[in-house]
Amino acid sequence: QRYYNISTYTMAESGTGIQELMAAETRASQIVAEARIGRGDRMKQAKVEAQQLIDSYRAEKQEEFNNMALSQGGSEGNAAAALQAETNKEVQAMEGLFQKNVQGAVDVLLSKCCEVSLEVPTARVRATQKMAGTV
């Protein structure tokens, strides 16, 4: 067994130990920085790969949808024309209902605007009297 006496260490030996610790700390921080960079690169690569997978899946499903629409509804142009015609028909029906009911709606609004009640509610009278101290 060897026992070391603290007083036997020289200044050079303690300086060397500190330098070794500092070098180890620097190397450790470099390793951590490299690991962080590597992690970031792996995350970026995974994101790119995931986006490619999503794009290919989306294209595949769009192709399936287009094929199904063509097989069931004929050409896409005819379906769009039929949809536009139906939309125009519904818009005309709504405009007709608006023209039919516009005067009735105006009359209801005017009648409600012209109805003015001059009667003061009892609760309001009491509250005013209480505030004035006449109760």
Side-chain angles (χ1 to χ4, degrees):
Q1 291 180 349
R2 243 180 149 170
Y3 294 101
Y4 291 99
N5 189 353
I6 293 176
S7 63
T8 60
Y9 283 113
T10 64
M11 291 290 271
E13 290 174 341
S14 65
T16 305
I18 291 173
Q19 288 176 351
E20 288 176 4
L21 285 173
M22 290 177 64
E25 184 178 336
T26 303
R27 181 63 187 140
S29 64
Q30 288 173 348
I31 291 171
V32 169
E34 290 171 2
R36 285 184 181 151
I37 291 171
R39 180 177 179 260
D41 291 343
R42 288 191 305 276
M43 291 294 288
K44 288 177 186 175
Q45 182 63 30
K47 184 177 180 182
V48 167
E49 291 173 2
Q51 189 61 45
Q52 290 173 347
L53 183 64
I54 290 168
D55 291 342
S56 66
Y57 181 76
R58 182 176 287 142
E60 177 186 328
K61 289 300 177 182
Q62 184 65 40
E63 184 67 28
E64 287 178 16
F65 175 76
N66 290 341
N67 290 337
M68 185 180 68
L70 286 175
S71 68
Q72 290 181 354
S75 69
E76 200 171 295
N78 290 340
L83 182 62
Q84 185 64 41
E86 183 180 343
T87 302
N88 290 340
K89 182 180 173 184
E90 290 177 5
V91 167
Q92 287 176 351
M94 286 182 209
E95 286 176 352
L97 287 172
F98 171 76
Q99 292 301 328
K100 179 181 172 186
N101 296 323
V102 69
Q103 190 58 47
V106 169
D107 291 341
V108 168
L109 287 173
L110 287 175
S111 70
K112 292 298 176 186
C113 290
C114 294
E115 286 181 13
V116 178
S117 174
L118 298 177
E119 187 175 317
V120 178
T122 309
R124 180 61 131 180
V125 171
R126 285 188 202 139
T128 306
Q129 289 173 346
K130 190 181 255 185
M131 286 175 55
T134 60
V135 178

